[in-house]
Amino acid sequence: MPGAAAVIVVVGPPGARPEVVAEALEAAVDAGPLLAGPEHAARGGELAAERPDARFVLVRRDLEACLREGVAPDAWHEAAAALLAALEALAPERWCVVGRERLLADPRAELRRLCGFLGLTYDQAMLAPVERARRAEAAGGAARAAEQ
């Protein structure tokens, strides 16, 4: 398990919104350096070689949800396949997958699981970004339903 100084890299295909997980992890009192965003996804293998302490978190989201937000299916499939291939080349203790739907449905359990993997102390403050994302997604779903 990594210590508090381990670099955490949070990535995801288009529409997965890994920034929600990154914001939650920033609230952990003992989190080390955190890298999130598409530029880090493209450098995954390079980061893994440069920083053997790095741990990777792949945020996964249902393709149908991404399509509803206008994500091109080819772009999603290509990015998801590339990210998964890069992570599968690493030792299993260096990466994990967080399902966005599961995170929004049971944030405490999913964040506790993620903290356990990363060697971080869970903190209630980690829930705030997830709750904001859940409210925003619910509002977006209600707006889409009203349009139909």
Side-chain angles (χ1 to χ4, degrees), residues 44-98:
E46 188 181 315
L47 283 169
E50 287 174 11
R51 297 295 303 258
D53 65 334
R55 299 297 181 260
F56 295 81
V57 178
L58 173 62
V59 180
R60 178 181 54 74
R61 188 173 185 199
D62 178 65
L63 174 60
E64 293 302 317
C66 294
L67 294 177
R68 283 193 301 272
E69 293 185 5
V71 173
D74 290 345
W76 186 90
H77 282 292
E78 186 177 309
L83 287 168
L84 196 54
L87 292 174
E88 285 178 337
L90 300 175
E93 63 272 6
R94 293 195 63 194
W95 66 282
C96 74
V97 176
V98 172

Side-chain angles (χ1 to χ4, degrees), residues 2-15:
V7 173
I8 300 169
V9 183
V10 183
V11 296

Side-chain angles (χ1 to χ4, degrees), residues 59-140:
V59 180
R60 178 181 54 74
R61 188 173 185 199
D62 178 65
L63 174 60
E64 293 302 317
C66 294
L67 294 177
R68 283 193 301 272
E69 293 185 5
V71 173
D74 290 345
W76 186 90
H77 282 292
E78 186 177 309
L83 287 168
L84 196 54
L87 292 174
E88 285 178 337
L90 300 175
E93 63 272 6
R94 293 195 63 194
W95 66 282
C96 74
V97 176
V98 172
R100 181 176 168 82
E101 289 80 10
R102 186 172 168 187
L103 176 68
L104 295 181
D106 192 357
R108 269 187 194 82
E110 194 64 0
L111 288 171
R112 285 181 192 275
R113 182 184 72 81
L114 184 56
C115 284
F117 169 77
L118 295 170
L120 301 177
T121 304
Y122 172 79
D123 188 298
Q124 288 288 107
M126 298 173 78
L127 291 172
V130 180
E131 293 299 329
R132 282 193 302 274
R134 187 167 29 186
R135 283 191 300 274
E137 199 158 291

